[in-house]
Structure formats: structure tokens, C-alpha cells
Amino acid sequence: MNSIEWRNNAVRFLDQTELPLREVYIETSDLSVLADAIIRLKVRGAPLLGIAAAYGILLGIQSAKNSSKDALEFSFEESAQRISATRPTAKNLFWAVERMRNILRLNSHENTITLFEKLESEAKAIHEEDRVMCDRIGNIGAELIPHGAKILTHCNTGALATGGIGTAFGVIVTAHRMKRAIHVYADETRQLLQGARLTMWELQNAGIPATLVTDNSAAWTIKTKKIDLIIVGADRISANGDTANKIGTYNLALLAKAHGIPFYVAAPTSTVDRSIHHGDEIVIEERAENEILNGWGRQIAPDGAHVFNPAFDVTPNELISAIITENGIVRAPYVQTISAVVNQ
Ligand code: MRU
């Protein structure tokens, strides 16, 4: 299963809003279609957003391939802006745009055809590197998973959300392949049920023993099912280790502390934003009211109900036992340890 692919000058992606009932692929050579798919979470998950951003830029500049260099540069900036305006929180999206922009800068002496080829290679490299990073995160993180571990996870961090086996899910699937006899409890993950619809689907496809729980049963699940550890992904990690991830992650970190179990974050270094020092500076996406006002095929709150619908929260670094990256596992003090792995 490929969540996203670049082929024949078009992007083909799996529409994640249709899962788990239908596997629908959308193929487009129109940047607006891809940008809209990102906004609607047909394409989602921080690392996948980075890959989608790079391919999105290719879509946006395609028609300028045979024009002047000025026209290509202009459409590059237009496309970069369009893709950057889709969702604000995942660092990977902006990181990928910046990588593409660097290629444009470094090759400004080339003709437009060569420039496009270089940008295309860079987008493919971003995709391939993410696959490799996932494998490394999986192998490195699996050492934190004891035999017979009961694991609680949140949102979706698997192949659907990345270019490879996943981040937190990559650790889970690697531990499973190592025959660690794990059992995973997946939070259903409001708003859009990424845990129920997507993580359960991936767990079942991988043959990993798993149980679905509602978000509000987390404390009771930890206590009664004797959860050994919690592992989640990340959308943006500030220089001090504060971590933005799907709304509800912070709750879980507090619960891990209260129950004396480890709380792990797994993410590639492309998720780290060292330009910001503290989690308070992370922009948290707020989504439409109707995601909360409607569900189960009908309106579920009275007319006029006010809604606060943040898509992410920030877990303070002191609640994080370790961050698993492709360059190693880091622990507090994160300012120093994160800097060491990101510089590699
Ligand atoms: O709103 P989403 O579904 O894009 O949120 C995704 C998450 O919060 C994931 O946990 C995070 O992006 C890590 S994906 C490897």
C-alpha cells in the first residue's frame, strides 16, 4: 500500500477519509486538488504532509517547465504558499518546502527543464528518506518495548501517515515482527477517528493483537489493562522537546505520569523545529465546528452550541520519557540531546 506516489507527472494518493470501508485512490495533476485533500485530511500525518508538499510543488510548477526561469520561480513561490497555507502545525510540511526551495536556489544557473528534474529528484528523495527514517526509528525504538508489553497509542502514525512503516507505529510493528508478543490498545482519536478508522485498520492488516478504546477510557484502560507504556508520534517538536501531536496526547502524558509508566514520542528529525524554543510558540490548528457538532450521521449538539476544536495539543517536555528519532533515542535535557541528533 502506497499512501502517496508520484507517477507520470501526477500525484496518486489514498483517500484516508474513506477508510476503513473503501480503499479509494485519487490521481491528480492539479495542486488545488491535493491542497484541498490535505485540508480535508484525505492526506494526513506529519511525515506524509512533508512528502505531499514536495510533490504538490512539482504539480504547481509543472506548467512553467517550458517557460522562462522567472515564470518557474514565480510559480514555485505561488505553489509553496498554497501548500504552506493548508495546515499550520506539522513541521515536516514546511521543512519539505524549504528543502525544495534550497534546490531551486542552488541550481538557479540551470535551465528550467533541468531545474524541474532536480526538484523532482529532491521530492522523490524526501519520500525515500522518510521510508528509511521509519525503518531506523522502528529498529531503534523496538529496544524500548519489553516482551509481552501492553501498549497504548493515539491517532495514526503508520504507513498511512508516512513514507514507510510509520513512526510510533513503526516501533510497534518492528516489536511485533521481533515476536515481542505485544498487545496494542488504540485510542479511537476524535475528531476524525484516526485511531479507530486508520490505526485499527493498519493493526489488523499487520496481524498485531489490538483492542480499540474510546479516548475518554484511557485512564481506566491504563489501570485495568495494566498498560506498560504509551507511544505516540509528533507534528512539531520545539528545541526544548515540547511536542505538538494530535489533541488528547497531552492527556495521555499526564496519565502516564500518574500511573508511573513511560511516555514515548517517536518522530523523524524533520519534525523538530529548532527555530522555536518552547512549545508555546507552536501554532495549533483549529478546525471547523461542524467536526464536533456532527457525527454518527447526524447533528449531535444543540443548535447554537459553541465549539473549541483544536487539532493538536502540546505535551511539555518534562512529561516525555524519551524521544525516538532515526538518529537515536534522546532523553532530558532535550535542548542538548535534540541538538545532537538533529545535527547528524
Ligand atoms: O490531524 P492528523 O491526522 O494529520 O494528525 C496526525 C497526528 O497527530 C500524528 O500523530 C502525527 O502527525 C504523527 S504521524 C507519524
Side-chain angles (χ1 to χ4, degrees):
M1 187 266 304
N2 267 329
S3 328
I4 199 161
E5 255 182 297
W6 175 252
R7 60 180 199 194
N8 306 325
N9 295 319
V11 171
R12 182 177 187 264
F13 61 86
L14 179 58
D15 178 351
Q16 300 189 29
T17 58
E18 295 282 353
L19 289 172
L21 298 181
R22 297 196 313 146
E23 278 182 56
V24 177
Y25 285 88
I26 296 174
E27 190 161 330
T28 184
S29 46
D30 183 346
L31 170 58
S32 302
V33 172
L34 180 63
D36 185 65
I38 292 173
I39 291 166
R40 292 174 191 274
L41 271 59
K42 294 179 180 187
V43 173
R44 47 147 299 282
L48 196 74
L49 291 179
I51 298 162
Y55 289 149
I57 286 177
L58 293 183
L59 295 181
I61 62 173
Q62 228 165 184
S63 59
K65 210 165 34 175
N66 298 312
S67 325
S68 69
K69 212 178 288 181
D70 279 356
L72 186 105
E73 282 169 3
F74 183 78
S75 67
F76 182 101
E77 280 317 318
E78 259 189 351
S79 311
Q81 271 175 30
R82 178 82 178 88
I83 212 84
S84 301
T86 53
R87 298 189 74 193
T89 306
K91 169 66 182 170
N92 311 61
L93 189 153
F94 302 90
W95 167 88
V97 168
E98 215 31 57
R99 266 186 68 160
M100 297 290 277
R101 190 175 277 123
N102 262 336
I103 294 298
L104 188 71
R105 271 195 214 115
L106 290 171
N107 295 284
S108 55
H109 53 283
E110 302 284 7
N111 64 41
T112 52
I113 301 284
T114 310
L115 253 177
F116 184 85
E117 282 167 7
K118 299 241 179 219
L119 287 163
E120 189 178 30
S121 305
E122 186 69 358
K124 287 180 181 165
I126 287 170
H127 195 166
E128 172 58 16
E129 285 168 31
D130 192 68
R131 189 189 64 71
V132 174
M133 285 193 282
C134 287
D135 284 347
R136 290 175 64 167
I137 288 170
N139 283 320
I140 291 169
E143 76 186 51
L144 296 172
I145 311 295
H147 189 84
K150 296 200 176 91
I151 302 169
L152 180 62
T153 191
H154 193 61
C155 200
N156 172 263
T157 60
L160 291 168
T162 65
I165 59 170
T167 56
F169 194 93
V171 174
I172 288 170
V173 80
T174 306
H176 172 71
R177 287 175 188 161
M178 290 173 169
K179 310 237 177 304
R180 294 274 164 83
I182 56 170
H183 189 105
V184 178
Y185 288 83
D187 268 358
E188 63 178 356
T189 317
R190 283 282 266 155
Q191 307 83 7
L192 297 177
L193 302 171
Q194 287 91 327
R197 293 187 304 103
L198 310 179
T199 301
M200 280 308 284
W201 184 75
E202 289 203 58
L203 286 164
Q204 287 184 348
N205 290 345
I208 301 173
T211 304
L212 177 64
V213 293
T214 59
D215 296 343
N216 54 3
S217 71
W220 194 242
T221 301
I222 293 168
K223 186 178 162 81
T224 58
K225 298 297 179 187
K226 302 191 171 31
I227 298 294
D228 296 291
L229 63 100
I230 298 175
I231 186 163
V232 298
D235 278 78
R236 194 180 291 241
I237 301 173
S238 59
N240 70 345
D242 292 348
T243 295
N245 191 49
K246 179 53 57 195
I247 189 76
T249 301
Y250 180 22
N251 303 24
L252 295 183
L254 289 165
L255 291 176
K257 186 175 182 198
H259 289 86
I261 59 172
F263 179 86
Y264 299 126
V265 170
T269 50
S270 49
T271 304
V272 175
D273 186 351
R274 284 196 305 158
S275 74
I276 59 171
H277 306 287
H278 194 278
D280 286 353
E281 297 163 58
I282 299 175
V283 178
I284 299 295
E285 175 187 3
E286 285 192 31
R287 296 188 58 86
E289 293 191 341
N290 63 19
E291 285 184 348
I292 304 297
L293 294 172
N294 299 289
W296 296 277
R298 65 184 185 94
Q299 182 177 326
I300 53 170
D303 287 338
H306 294 295
V307 170
F308 173 49
N309 186 15
F312 303 96
D313 58 26
V314 178
T315 299
N317 63 60
E318 62 271 18
L319 296 176
I320 300 172
S321 313
I323 300 177
I324 304 154
T325 76
E326 76 279 13
N327 292 331
I329 298 171
V330 297
R331 296 180 189 268
Y334 288 109
V335 175
Q336 285 89 343
T337 58
I338 285 180
S339 166
V341 284
V342 173
N343 278 337
Q344 280 182 27

